[in-house]
Amino acid sequence: MTVGAVEMLPVCAYPDCTNHAEAPTPDAPAPRYCAHPDHNALGAFRRFRAKRQERKEEKRQAAEAKKAAKATTAPAPAAPETAAPQSAMDMMEAVPNESGTREDILALMSRLATDLPVYIEELAIITDSAAAEARIETVTKASAQRTLAAEQRTALAEEATEQAIAELDKAKQGFEEETERIRKEAAQQVADVEFVRAELERYRERVAQLEERLDAVREEADTARRESADLALHLERHHADHAACSLPAAPMK
């Protein structure tokens, strides 16, 4: 709230309080008191009543002092003593019974004129107290309704929380099952890979053995070809030698 808005607020209605009243709210559109916890209609009424009692006591003491002064200066005929009026009704009832002078009547009228605004102000406070009680009842009902609505929202939130927890547990269980399935599949795939790797290694060893066997066969074939070539050459030589031996000798001249 700005400074100008604060200055526009009325002064607190509590006696002798110079603070500004609280800002208007939906529950209190025209607050009359400040934020002090004791500054309210009931507290103001009690304060006004205490001040009124103080003023009555002061006036009683002043009246007694005035009577004592009159008794010492100019004794008056004996008259029945009456207590000082304590309210406007007491003053009105005391006027016919007073046998004093015109000054006493004027003093009573002055006291009545002085106390009348106080009584009017107290009446306003009492009225304001009734309005405050009505506002308190309204606020209490509104608070009860808000409490009920809050409890309903809390119940709905708890139900939603329980449902969310159940769904979370279900999702967690599904995730764990899916994780277990994936883990088993991965383990199976790893086992398959290991099997394939072992088979591949076995095939590599078999290929190496076959290559060694092929080299040996090639060497045997080369040896057989060499032996066959040597045998063929030896046979050719043998046939040539045999042919030479079988030819007839030439006659001598």
Side-chain angles (χ1 to χ4, degrees):
M1 184 180 294
T2 61
V3 178
V6 173
E7 292 179 352
M8 293 177 62
L9 294 175
V11 179
C12 179
Y14 191 84
D16 301 330
C17 181
T18 58
N19 296 328
H20 290 282
E22 290 186 305
T25 60
D27 295 331
R32 298 184 56 203
Y33 300 94
C34 64
H36 195 282
D38 295 334
H39 290 190
N40 48 44
L42 182 59
F45 176 74
R46 291 175 178 173
R47 180 61 178 167
F48 275 114
R49 186 171 58 183
K51 292 179 68 176
R52 185 183 67 179
Q53 294 296 334
E54 292 176 0
R55 288 195 297 269
K56 286 182 179 181
E57 184 64 23
E58 292 174 356
K59 291 178 180 179
R60 186 184 64 80
Q61 293 176 0
E64 290 179 354
K66 185 177 180 181
K67 287 182 179 180
K70 287 182 179 181
T72 55
T73 56
E81 295 182 357
T82 57
Q86 297 297 321
S87 64
M89 295 301 296
D90 294 338
M91 296 177 193
M92 297 302 294
E93 292 176 356
V95 171
N97 296 328
E98 288 287 343
S99 60
T101 60
R102 180 173 176 271
E103 287 78 6
D104 294 332
I105 297 175
L106 293 176
L108 292 174
M109 294 178 64
S110 177
R111 289 174 59 186
L112 180 60
T114 302
D115 291 342
L116 185 59
V118 177
Y119 297 141
I120 294 174
E121 190 172 11
E122 289 180 0
L123 180 61
I125 292 174
I126 294 173
T127 306
D128 185 72
S129 300
E133 292 178 357
R135 286 199 298 272
I136 291 172
E137 185 178 358
T138 301
V139 171
T140 303
K141 291 181 179 179
S143 178
Q145 292 177 356
R146 288 194 295 269
T147 302
L148 180 59
E151 291 178 353
Q152 293 176 350
R153 289 195 297 270
T154 302
L156 292 176
E158 290 177 353
E159 292 179 359
T161 302
E162 292 177 356
Q163 184 177 0
I165 292 174
E167 293 178 355
L168 181 61
D169 292 339
K170 184 178 179 181
K172 182 179 178 182
Q173 183 178 1
F175 176 77
E176 291 176 352
E177 293 176 355
E178 184 68 15
T179 303
E180 183 66 18
R181 185 184 64 79
I182 294 174
R183 187 186 65 79
K184 290 181 179 180
E185 290 180 356
Q188 183 64 36
Q189 290 177 359
V190 171
D192 293 343
V193 170
E194 292 294 334
F195 176 77
V196 171
R197 186 178 297 172
E199 288 293 320
L200 181 61
E201 187 66 24
R202 188 170 63 84
Y203 287 141
R204 286 177 180 176
E205 292 177 357
R206 181 63 177 168
V207 169
Q209 293 175 359
L210 291 175
E211 287 179 350
E212 292 178 358
R213 179 62 179 166
L214 180 61
D215 292 339
V217 170
R218 286 175 180 174
E219 290 179 357
E220 292 177 356
D222 291 340
T223 302
R225 279 195 297 270
R226 286 194 299 269
E227 291 178 352
S228 177
D230 293 341
L231 181 60
L233 181 62
H234 179 71
L235 288 175
E236 289 179 358
R237 289 178 179 177
H238 178 71
H239 286 304
D241 292 339
H242 181 70
C245 291
S246 61
L247 289 175
M252 294 181 63
K253 294 181 176 181

